[in-house]
Amino acid sequence: MKGIKWGVMAACLGLALSANAEEPVDLEMVGKIRQEAFHRSQVADTLQHLTEQIGPRLTNSANMAKANDWTKAKFSAWGLVNVHDEAFADFGRGWEFSSASLELLAPRSAPLHAVPKAWTPGTNGPVEGEAIAITFKTKADLDKYKGTLRGKIVLLSEKRDYKPGTEPASKRYDEAGLDELLTFPMPAAGGAEAKAKRVKEYRERIELAKATNEFLVSEGAVAALSISGWDDGILRVGGGGSRKAGESVGVPELVVAAEHYNPLLRALDRKETVRLRVNSDARFTTQANEPGYNTLAELKGSGKADEVVMLGAHMDSWHTGTGASDNGAGVAVMMEAMRILKAVGAKPKRTIRVALWSGEEQGLIGSTDYVSRHFAAYPEPTDPAQKELRPELREPTGPLQRTKDYGKFSAYFNLDNGSGKIRGIYAQENQAVMPIFKAWLAPFNDLGATIVTSRNTGSTDHIPFDRVGLPGFQFVQDRLDYGTQVHHSDLDTYDHASPDDLKQAAAIIAAFAYQAAMRDEQLPRKDVLQE
């Protein structure tokens, strides 16, 4: 009997030790968060105000300043503390446009669908000219067109064949897609060679853009047109010209819907005279380079208040739509997560800080600057050629330089893949966080959030944290029509967002932030690979 009793006791002890080894989850707080998120949500109202009452938010534009002020006022009204804007280095000049039009005058009359590229000059009223198509791949190719462009409207892009879609524009992950994300693709060999190629291509692209701007101005072209990156009448537009004072901004340049651009080239192929009228009311709002601004606020911790958990999203957008999916959705979710935590009376041990970044679309500028000043950075390069590169393309410059707050940082959570619901989280090859995240995600399995993948994902504001060895994460999201219709396009509007998905995302992120802030230990870190 003693042996049996001891066996039972040993089994019970083993179960207890196993239970203690599991990541604790405050299910009572999760329940409160779900109730607030699903029954008293403000996330859709926040997104609608940001996109339809403020509008697109190009970094350093007047609308971006309005967004900074409005979000600060909301954070203060909700009772958050340390609400402020924080400047980052001279970003460039402000720019905006209020209207643009493109008309075909010959060989027939027709309105054409077009919008200006950011940081290109306006036309100062309607201008007319004959169209001319030029084809160039290198700076040397430009010389072929010397003396031919004066008074002309230059078509810079080649024709592109229309490719009908074979799948729905809006898609959600199915089980097979989620299962595939759980596999880890082995990194390709030749990493150094691949990086060298990316650096070379980046430099060539930047140098060619600068040379083209200067060439078009010196040759007397009156405007330039480029084809939209997507079909079906969608205008997918980014930047042109230059945001930097002192650099050539080129001539007025508009992006034209593919189905309206291709006929112009076909008419030129038939040797017809193509005449166009362009009117772009684009303008620089400042003449000198100015800093950009991130907006921050906190829910102060107690007990470990000097340690921090961060969540964030980029508030800047391109100028064609209203920046709803990219990334008003992420901003609204992060704001809602903070509102929820305050509303349910959360008292976290660590301080929870939210950051609404700017300059993301130009290379993660706002978040990179913030991480560099507050936590860690590699030494700035002294080589001017290296300085021109984006941080991820630079050569190592020395050991990582950590600030005193580096050791007080626990985690950063980011949202920036549209308005689709969260299906899981990328662990960024941090194996030690995977069981933790699985435990935190379990109370949301019934809402479709089920996977923790070891994969890396890139290209958004968790990367500056991850690059210096801090735990920074992006969530797996249903793509909806993010990559087929709305990303950087004039269709990036509130109507393409999914309010119910945003409610789900806000609840999950609020819970993740709270659990991270309440853990006895900070989240585990992975090794810094680049020292």
Side-chain angles (χ1 to χ4, degrees):
M1 289 294 292
K2 287 183 179 180
I4 295 174
K5 286 182 178 179
W6 173 247
V8 171
M9 289 175 65
C12 291
L13 179 61
L15 288 173
L17 290 172
S18 175
N20 289 334
E22 292 179 358
E23 180 70 16
V25 178
D26 188 338
L27 292 177
E28 181 180 359
M29 178 56 71
V30 169
K32 291 178 180 179
I33 287 171
R34 286 177 61 127
Q35 285 291 310
E36 183 67 26
F38 303 154
H39 298 286
R40 292 175 289 277
S41 176
Q42 295 182 24
V43 68
D45 291 340
T46 297
L47 179 60
Q48 193 170 68
H49 185 102
L50 190 66
T51 58
E52 297 191 340
Q53 292 179 255
I54 295 177
R57 302 163 304 282
L58 191 71
T59 300
N60 277 13
S61 67
N63 276 1
M64 187 67 201
K66 291 177 184 177
N68 291 131
D69 289 343
W70 181 75
T71 53
K72 287 200 302 288
K74 294 296 284 186
F75 286 144
S76 296
W78 292 336
L80 301 180
V81 298
N82 198 18
V83 178
H84 67 285
D85 286 338
E86 190 167 307
F88 54 88
D90 289 349
F91 172 83
R93 294 188 286 173
W95 180 93
E96 64 185 9
F97 89 103
S98 52
S99 64
S101 64
L102 177 63
E103 300 172 73
L104 177 63
L105 304 178
R108 62 185 181 86
S109 298
L112 304 178
H113 191 32
V115 70
K117 287 187 175 182
W119 295 296
T120 59
T123 56
N124 294 316
V127 295
E128 297 181 12
E130 287 187 15
I132 181 173
I134 69 174
T135 302
F136 58 94
K137 302 295 183 184
T138 67
K139 291 190 289 185
D141 292 338
L142 295 172
D143 291 339
K144 296 184 296 185
Y145 300 99
K146 280 187 175 180
T148 66
L149 305 184
R150 185 159 300 278
K152 300 292 177 58
I153 294 175
V154 181
L155 276 59
L156 298 174
S157 306
E158 298 179 272
K159 289 193 295 290
R160 186 180 70 240
D161 290 339
Y162 178 74
K163 294 181 179 178
T166 58
E167 298 180 353
S170 185
K171 295 183 68 175
R172 294 188 182 273
Y173 278 110
D174 56 17
E175 289 305 312
L178 291 175
D179 286 345
E180 195 274 332
L181 279 177
L182 292 176
T183 64
F184 184 79
M186 195 62 65
E193 292 82 357
K195 181 179 178 180
K197 182 183 179 188
R198 291 198 304 274
V199 170
K200 181 175 181 291
E201 291 173 347
Y202 177 83
R203 283 186 169 142
E204 289 175 347
R205 187 167 64 252
I206 296 301
E207 290 172 1
L208 183 57
K210 290 181 178 179
T212 302
N213 285 343
E214 294 167 358
F215 182 75
L216 294 180
V217 171
S218 65
E219 290 296 305
V222 298
L225 306 177
S226 300
I227 192 170
S228 172
W230 283 344
D231 295 332
D232 297 318
I234 299 171
L235 291 176
R236 193 165 194 255
V237 186
S242 175
R243 69 177 192 271
K244 293 294 187 180
E247 294 184 354
S248 174
V249 296
V251 299
E253 184 176 352
L254 282 71
V255 168
V256 187
E259 293 85 352
H260 286 183
Y261 185 92
N262 284 334
L264 303 180
L265 289 180
R266 287 193 287 267
L268 291 176
D269 288 344
R270 295 191 298 267
K271 309 301 181 185
E272 296 176 356
T273 297
V274 175
R275 192 164 183 83
L276 299 161
R277 179 186 294 131
V278 181
N279 189 6
S280 173
D281 185 19
R283 56 201 169 275
F284 289 90
T285 57
T286 60
Q287 296 309 308
N289 295 330
E290 295 188 345
Y293 292 90
N294 302 317
T295 296
L296 297 106
E298 291 179 343
L299 178 60
K300 207 68 177 176
S302 58
K304 296 184 177 183
D306 61 336
E307 297 185 17
V308 65
V309 171
M310 289 190 68
L311 48 148
H314 74 89
M315 190 154 63
D316 64 301
S317 76
W318 288 110
H319 56 291
T320 48
T322 57
S325 292
D326 190 22
N327 186 30
V331 169
V333 165
M334 294 306 180
M335 292 179 69
E336 177 73 354
M338 295 297 284
R339 186 199 68 79
I340 289 168
L341 290 170
K342 189 67 178 175
V344 300
K347 305 293 183 186
K349 294 178 183 177
R350 295 180 180 86
T351 294
I352 300 176
R353 181 182 303 156
V354 62
L356 307 180
W357 309 114
S358 189
E360 190 273 351
E361 296 292 2
Q362 290 72 47
L364 315 181
I365 295 174
S367 56
T368 297
D369 181 89
Y370 183 86
V371 170
S372 298
R373 284 186 295 105
H374 288 273
F375 301 117
Y378 293 97
E380 275 293 303
T382 55
D383 180 2
Q386 286 290 311
K387 279 181 173 288
E388 290 184 353
L389 296 175
R390 294 163 71 132
E392 71 273 15
L393 296 178
R394 294 173 179 173
E395 292 299 317
T397 51
L400 183 66
Q401 299 173 337
R402 298 168 174 87
T403 74
K404 61 181 178 61
D405 289 331
Y406 186 85
K408 298 176 181 178
F409 184 89
S410 185
Y412 172 76
F413 300 105
N414 193 76
L415 196 73
D416 181 23
N417 286 147
S419 73
K421 71 165 61 174
I422 288 174
R423 306 304 301 274
I425 191 168
Y426 294 95
Q428 296 293 123
E429 295 190 60
N430 186 337
Q431 297 294 318
V433 302
M434 293 184 69
I436 299 169
F437 287 168
K438 287 175 183 176
W440 293 356
L441 210 56
F444 300 97
N445 288 171
D446 61 334
L447 296 170
T450 58
I451 71 164
V452 178
T453 172
S454 60
R455 292 187 182 192
N456 290 289
T457 189
S459 303
T460 191
D461 290 299
H462 67 293
I463 292 298
F465 295 88
D466 184 69
R467 188 184 293 134
V468 298
L470 294 174
F473 307 99
Q474 162 71 28
F475 291 89
V476 178
Q477 294 175 258
D478 278 334
R479 299 297 282 183
L480 304 183
D481 58 355
Y482 184 69
T484 55
Q485 293 182 324
V486 304
H487 185 242
H488 295 184
S489 86
D490 59 337
L491 298 188
D492 188 3
T493 62
Y494 179 83
D495 291 296
H496 285 255
S498 174
D500 283 348
D501 287 1
L502 300 179
K503 292 178 186 178
Q504 180 250 30
I508 292 172
I509 291 172
F512 265 58
Y514 182 78
Q515 304 291 358
M518 296 300 290
R519 290 189 91 238
D520 290 338
E521 305 295 331
Q522 295 175 352
L523 285 186
R525 301 182 180 187
K526 62 184 184 182
D527 290 338
V528 180
L529 296 180
Q530 182 181 338
E531 282 280 6

